[in-house]
Amino acid sequence: MTIGNTTQTGSLLIRGGRVIDPSTRFDAIADVYIENQRIHSIGTNLDLPADRVIDATGMIVSPGFIDPHVKLGEPGCEEDETIDSGTAAAVAGGFTTIAALPDTTPVVDSRAAAEFVSRQAERADRCHVVPLGAVTRQVLGEELSEIGQLVDGGAVGFTDGKRVIANPEIMRRALQYAGMFDRAILHHPQSPELTAGGVMHDGYWSTRLGLRGIPAAAEEIVVRRDIALAEHTGGRIHLMSISSLNSVDEVCRARRRGVRVSADVSPQHLLLSDESLKNYESCYKVSPPLRTQPHIEALIAGLKEGTIDILCADHLPWAIEKTDRELDLTPFGIPGLETLLPMGIRALIEPGHLSWIEFLSKLTTGPAALLGLDTGRLQTGAPADITILDPQIRWQIDATKFHTLSRNTPFDKWDVQGKVQYTIVSGSIRYPFNSE
């Protein structure tokens, strides 16, 4: 899908919005003036000439959202997603920066491959796309990639995507080498031996449905190992999309000891349980699998206490022909960029689990710190990457109107509250499309 771009130059005044900057805990009605792609000033009743004015009355003005791991099928699997369609989905969801997973074809395990991702994103001209480099060559888990060359190519972190690095010696060395460049290893903690052939959480519903289960221990074993190796090496480990109550506890205790560990969670693991699979629908097949209520409550508690730093979309789109099959044959994963905000509000804001400052920190300062980015903040001189959202508007999710190529969402036809109104990247309005 190709959508016309909007690239303005000049100045922009955002007037009268509720400006929230989690990095400084600023929360007040104010104006934001943008000039030369950066925030020029923030204050009340700013009287400055602007080429364009946005009336943000009743809206929240936030730093642009950042997602630390997004699957953009290109190159190699353009039927699932392209950089063009994926970045369109990103800005529609309020994201000004996304980090692209490297498990493409070819794999992003060289400087040239990392630079290709950046160049394609520049051509799409929607949001910032920063590459994640593969930890191992061809994401096979056997031999380390050229970490230094990937850093030179722009890699902001390292991961093998949804493939587990099973060999602890490879992980140990990866943490050491990435640590030399102050880059984190982003890992999907799932024991391959315990997840093989599994479809859903191992428990009552897997037994009742006759589906092979994946125990929470499959995640917890790898979480403990990764934390032990990060503690040993002093490296940075980030655990992607955790789902287990014991994982939350392990991360919490490790952080208290000073281990450099962080974690993220996705809205589907906060709103849905393993019972959702009772009708064998592929839109509920995710990795890690949806679990039970005690796990959900632990994840929410982890977000409230600050153990979990980041709320991520876990965007993993698939072409319809790949998901319209028997459940055990369909791949794990759903699109998430365009539904993260309303589903995050449903899970965390509406029940009163998080304040708006706390909630937005999981989308801005948390991922910015993980990836070492100079974004995720609203301050004078900062890059003008901004998301403006209406927290009160009610609407219905319609998967047929997604900008991502994937339609396999569990949230289709959900009535939700809160919607992105503007996404501003480097001072230019990139969403709504063709808004000039």
Side-chain angles (χ1 to χ4, degrees):
M1 180 188 300
T2 301
I3 304 170
N5 298 328
T6 301
T7 304
Q8 301 99 359
T9 58
S11 56
L12 173 65
L13 177 63
I14 303 168
R15 189 179 294 283
R18 179 183 173 186
V19 178
I20 299 178
D21 179 14
S23 71
T24 60
R25 300 195 65 82
F26 180 87
D27 184 349
I29 303 299
D31 303 336
V32 179
Y33 185 72
I34 296 167
E35 191 175 48
N36 298 325
Q37 302 183 6
R38 292 191 171 268
I39 296 173
H40 176 276
S41 52
I42 299 174
T44 56
N45 300 316
L46 293 179
D47 186 16
L48 295 167
D51 298 315
R52 180 159 186 177
V53 177
I54 294 175
D55 182 0
T57 303
M59 301 182 193
I60 291 175
V61 180
S62 164
F65 300 163
I66 303 167
D67 197 289
H69 50 89
V70 171
K71 185 65 179 287
L72 299 174
E74 186 178 357
C77 293
E78 287 83 358
E79 70 277 11
D80 298 324
E81 193 80 287
T82 64
I83 290 176
D84 183 63
S85 64
T87 54
V91 294
F95 291 90
T96 57
T97 301
I98 57 176
L101 288 169
D103 48 340
T104 50
T105 306
V107 172
V108 181
D109 59 2
S110 67
R111 176 173 180 168
E115 290 174 342
F116 169 83
V117 173
S118 299
R119 286 197 303 271
Q120 289 297 94
E122 289 172 1
R123 291 190 182 100
D125 194 27
R126 301 191 196 284
C127 67
H128 306 298
V129 179
V130 291
L132 294 166
V135 177
T136 66
R137 293 185 185 275
Q138 298 300 305
V139 294
L140 295 175
E142 298 172 354
E143 182 182 359
L144 288 182
S145 299
E146 293 291 342
I147 301 292
Q149 289 187 16
L150 282 163
V151 170
D152 291 340
V156 296
F158 297 91
T159 180
D160 276 2
K162 289 290 184 177
R163 299 198 184 192
V164 181
I165 302 170
N167 188 324
E169 172 60 13
I170 293 292
M171 178 58 84
R172 183 184 72 86
R173 290 166 52 204
L175 285 163
Q176 289 176 326
Y177 281 113
M180 295 170 60
F181 301 94
D182 196 26
R183 298 294 196 275
I185 301 294
L186 287 71
H187 196 216
H188 179 61
Q190 295 288 307
S191 168
E193 293 82 7
L194 290 174
T195 58
V199 173
M200 62 178 297
H201 174 67
D202 185 40
Y204 169 79
W205 281 101
S206 65
T207 302
R208 179 170 174 175
L209 297 172
L211 296 172
R212 185 162 181 173
I214 299 172
E219 176 180 309
E220 296 158 3
I221 289 169
V222 181
V223 165
R224 293 188 191 107
R225 185 208 70 174
D226 286 355
I227 288 173
L229 291 172
E231 190 165 19
H232 170 71
T233 62
R236 295 170 57 198
I237 189 74
H238 178 79
L239 303 166
M240 300 192 296
S241 303
I242 63 172
S243 64
S244 159
L245 61 88
N246 285 332
S247 294
V248 177
D249 182 61
E250 291 285 344
V251 172
C252 180
R253 291 192 289 122
R255 288 169 70 106
R256 288 174 182 169
R257 298 196 307 272
V259 181
R260 303 177 74 191
V261 57
S262 57
D264 64 57
V265 67
S266 60
Q268 53 265 28
H269 289 97
L270 305 176
L271 291 167
L272 305 171
S273 71
D274 56 342
E275 184 181 355
S276 302
L277 278 141
K278 62 186 178 183
N279 292 323
Y280 300 92
E281 295 179 76
S282 64
C283 62
Y284 298 102
K285 185 180 178 183
V286 293
S287 179
L290 303 174
R291 302 206 189 273
T292 57
Q293 194 61 34
H295 293 285
I296 294 172
E297 292 171 0
L299 294 172
I300 293 172
L303 285 161
K304 292 171 66 174
E305 296 163 1
T307 299
I308 301 174
D309 309 282
I310 298 168
L311 185 66
C312 76
D314 200 21
H315 184 76
L316 188 58
W318 297 105
I320 190 169
E321 61 268 20
K322 297 180 182 179
T323 58
D324 191 19
R325 305 164 68 186
E326 294 87 353
L327 188 63
D328 59 343
L329 298 178
T330 59
F332 291 93
I334 60 174
L337 289 169
E338 292 170 87
T339 57
L340 182 139
L341 176 64
M343 304 325 301
I345 291 172
R346 170 75 67 89
L348 299 167
I349 294 289
E350 291 180 8
H353 296 310
L354 297 181
S355 68
W356 272 104
I357 283 182
E358 292 167 334
F359 176 73
L360 291 173
S361 74
K362 312 295 183 182
L363 299 172
T364 58
T365 55
L370 170 67
L371 302 176
L373 304 176
D374 183 32
T375 53
R377 58 194 177 93
L378 293 179
Q379 297 170 31
T380 301
D385 294 344
I386 298 173
T387 300
I388 303 175
L389 62 104
D390 186 334
Q392 300 300 327
I393 190 170
R394 294 187 176 275
W395 59 292
Q396 187 179 81
I397 294 172
D398 184 351
T400 65
K401 296 180 179 179
F402 280 178
H403 300 288
T404 174
L405 301 183
S406 178
R407 303 289 182 265
N408 192 42
T409 175
F411 303 122
D412 190 32
K413 307 307 179 189
W414 280 44
D415 293 316
V416 294
Q417 181 173 327
K419 191 173 185 181
V420 172
Q421 299 299 299
Y422 296 91
T423 303
I424 299 167
V425 181
S426 297
S428 297
I429 300 172
R430 302 302 171 88
Y431 179 84
F433 303 110
N434 297 320
S435 63
E436 61 181 350

